[in-house]
Amino acid sequence: MPLNYRTINLAGFIACFLLIASALVMQHAFELEPCPLCIFQRVSFMAAGVLFLAGALFNPASSGLRRSISGLNLIALATGVGLALRHIWLQNLPPSEVPSCGPGLDYMLEVLPFTSVINQVLSGSGECAEVSWLFLGLSIPWWTMFAYLGLSGLIFLAHYKIKDKKGIQ
């Protein structure tokens, strides 16, 4: 399979799919309940996955359309990096500074306006500061941040290193 815009976007979609699938396995098989920041990070991966899939399926000939799809994707991935960094920061707070646990995300979405939900989630809660799983000494938010950065690298690879047979970058 040649390395071009379509295959790079397909690889990005598959990576996002596998990341969401692994999050669901962690949740349901290993009973690691996601905190609100984890759920928002999943949404960021889903948004990126949809945009990668759009790039792979439509494979636009216009470089402007390719840049638009990739730009939106970079926004989704940058949002994920920001969420992961916030999550890492909360996990590294001293125990005395950890915010108290708040209501669940489902409850907040039912009761509060959406902007208030976002403010509450980004301010964090005690459950977001809890480290419940480590791999090679790093918690899940670290691994998601690396995934966001790797997926961003795929986008740059698709635009700056690969030329299709038609000469479109």
Side-chain angles (χ1 to χ4, degrees):
M1 185 179 286
L3 192 60
N4 57 30
Y5 183 81
R6 175 172 271 164
T7 57
I8 290 172
N9 274 280
L10 183 60
F13 168 73
I14 291 169
C16 288
F17 177 82
L18 292 174
L19 287 161
I20 294 297
S22 65
L24 292 172
V25 167
M26 288 175 152
Q27 179 180 349
H28 297 291
F30 300 122
E31 297 180 359
L32 294 174
E33 283 301 313
C35 71
L37 277 174
C38 292
I39 293 169
F40 275 33
Q41 288 174 66
R42 287 182 189 183
V43 171
S44 184
F45 278 125
M46 287 180 214
V50 167
L51 290 162
F52 275 122
L53 183 61
L57 289 177
F58 300 117
N59 194 26
S62 160
S63 63
L65 190 52
R66 285 183 179 195
R67 285 192 175 101
S68 296
I69 291 172
S70 295
L72 290 172
N73 208 340
L74 285 173
I75 291 169
L77 294 168
T79 301
V81 168
L83 291 167
L85 287 171
R86 176 72 174 164
H87 203 165
I88 291 165
W89 178 77
L90 283 168
Q91 287 184 340
N92 287 295
L93 284 175
S96 62
E97 293 182 29
V98 171
S100 62
C101 291
L105 185 60
D106 291 338
Y107 176 78
M108 287 192 291
L109 287 170
E110 287 178 17
V111 176
L112 300 173
F114 188 68
T115 54
S116 295
V117 172
I118 290 176
N119 285 334
Q120 289 253 341
V121 169
L122 293 180
S123 66
S125 66
E127 61 195 306
C128 293
E130 186 179 314
V131 177
S132 55
W133 185 87
L134 293 172
F135 181 68
L136 299 176
L138 297 175
S139 64
I140 295 171
W142 278 103
W143 292 107
T144 59
M145 186 181 63
F146 295 146
Y148 290 124
L149 295 174
L151 290 168
S152 299
L154 277 180
I155 293 171
F156 288 108
L157 178 69
H159 283 281
Y160 299 110
K161 299 290 181 192
I162 305 298
K163 283 195 176 201
D164 286 339
K165 291 177 184 174
K166 300 175 200 171
I168 300 172
Q169 262 190 321

